[in-house]
Every structure is written in C-alpha cells, then in structure tokens.
Amino acid sequence: FFFSSRRRHTRFRNVTGVQTCALPIYFFWEDFVVGDVRIFGQHRMTEDEILKFAHQFDPQRFHTDPQWAQQSLYQGLIASGWHTCGVVFKMVCDHFLLRTSSQGSPGLEQLRWIKPVRPGDVLRARCSVLDKRPMQSKPQLGLVLLRWEGINQNEQVVVLMEGWSIYGRRSP
C-alpha cells in the first residue's frame, strides 16, 4: 500500500495554486485503498527526552519529576500525550507523508491518549485508511480519512489520532 515503483518528480501546485519546489512524490490520492494498514518507524522513548519536552511544553509534575511521579496515579514518570503525538507524527512524516502529495489537513476528528508512555517504551506508527472521497470544490484534490495509532513494544495502542487529510490527485 503506500509506495509503488511509480516514483514521480513533479512540480505540484498546492491548494493556493502556488507552484512548490520539485519533490519526489510517490503517493497520490488515487493510491489510497480503503482498508489498507501499514506499520512503520521505531522510536525509543528516553527519560531525558521525556523530561526535556515536559519542562518546555507540558510541565505537569508526573511528566517532570520522576520522584513525585512515583506517588502519582501513574506510579512513575510518563511522557506528555503531546510529546507522544509529536513522536508518532515525526515517524509518519519520515516514513510516509513527506513522499506524498499531501496538502495538509482540516484537523482531527478524534485524539485519544489510551495508555501511558514510559521511558524505555519503543513506539511505532500504524496507519489505517478508513475512507476517501474526491474534493468537490477542488477537483485536483481528494480527501482521505486516516487513523494514525502509536503502538508500543507490546503491540498496545498508546495514542490514536483520526482525521481527514488532503492529497493531490494525479488527474482530476
């Protein structure tokens, strides 16, 4: 599902019609198949990165103070959900999104933090194609409903993000 041998260097016009730089685009709206699932990437969460992110962006004590976190509901240090989302999305970008005709997203329909992420956890990203449809107002674009999940080393879903994304079409 994601990449085929059809690699295409192209100048792609974004939503505003402004021509962007030449990028290798491997995947267009037409390439999405409802029901396809792909797992990719790998990232080991460290205590140091959890603490650094939390101190800068989400300074709740169960993210910033390992001793205090031991006495919390979580019984130990956990990563910020926002940090977890960022890590998963970086894997999505590195292993998929940057090689597509993506034009962004109108937003998420759903975001859930399902299980705490702890130092030493190894995360991967799983993408499921839930639905797709052409964009009526802009025939050169199509919409795809994707579910992105962060899964840990025990195959447990730790974060779930679901929303529509906009992709360029090969031919409207």
Side-chain angles (χ1 to χ4, degrees):
F1 127 71
F2 290 104
F3 303 117
S4 69
S5 60
R6 293 175 287 162
R7 183 173 159 199
R8 183 171 157 180
H9 289 273
T10 187
R11 287 200 175 272
F12 189 74
R13 292 190 184 279
N14 66 20
V15 176
T16 63
V18 176
Q19 201 169 45
T20 61
C21 62
L23 298 171
I25 295 178
Y26 295 87
F27 209 73
F28 292 83
W29 178 83
E30 293 87 348
D31 298 313
F32 287 92
V33 176
V34 174
D36 277 353
V37 177
R38 174 112 189 250
I39 299 174
F40 46 78
Q42 182 170 302
H43 181 87
R44 180 177 301 278
M45 301 293 284
T46 67
E47 181 173 317
D48 185 53
E49 76 173 301
I50 289 170
L51 292 170
K52 282 181 182 176
F53 181 93
H55 281 289
Q56 187 169 5
F57 298 108
D58 189 356
Q60 297 178 78
R61 291 181 76 186
F62 45 85
H63 299 318
T64 61
D65 185 338
Q67 288 72 38
W68 191 91
Q70 286 296 336
Q71 307 307 314
S72 75
L73 168 69
Y74 306 105
Q75 298 178 338
L77 186 70
I78 63 169
S80 165
W82 299 112
H83 182 189
T84 303
C85 287
V87 166
V88 171
F89 197 70
K90 176 73 162 94
M91 288 187 281
V92 167
C93 287
D94 288 350
H95 297 279
F96 169 66
L97 196 61
L98 298 180
R99 296 178 185 99
T100 72
S101 60
S102 173
Q103 295 293 302
S105 170
L108 293 174
E109 303 282 323
Q110 182 177 186
L111 169 60
R112 293 182 50 218
W113 294 296
I114 298 169
K115 291 190 74 61
V117 173
R118 301 180 184 280
D121 281 354
V122 178
L123 303 182
R124 292 178 297 147
R126 177 168 54 204
C127 175
S128 304
V129 180
L130 304 180
D131 196 6
K132 70 184 257 189
R133 65 176 188 247
M135 211 169 168
Q136 298 301 319
S137 61
K138 293 182 174 37
Q140 75 276 21
L141 301 173
L143 294 165
V144 180
L145 180 59
L146 298 171
R147 175 181 297 138
W148 300 103
E149 296 168 302
I151 52 177
N152 67 16
Q153 67 279 0
N154 300 316
E155 301 300 318
Q156 299 167 316
V157 176
V158 297
V159 64
L160 179 144
M161 298 172 274
E162 195 172 291
W164 290 93
S165 296
I166 304 166
Y167 291 90
R169 297 177 70 181
R170 270 193 197 84
S171 53

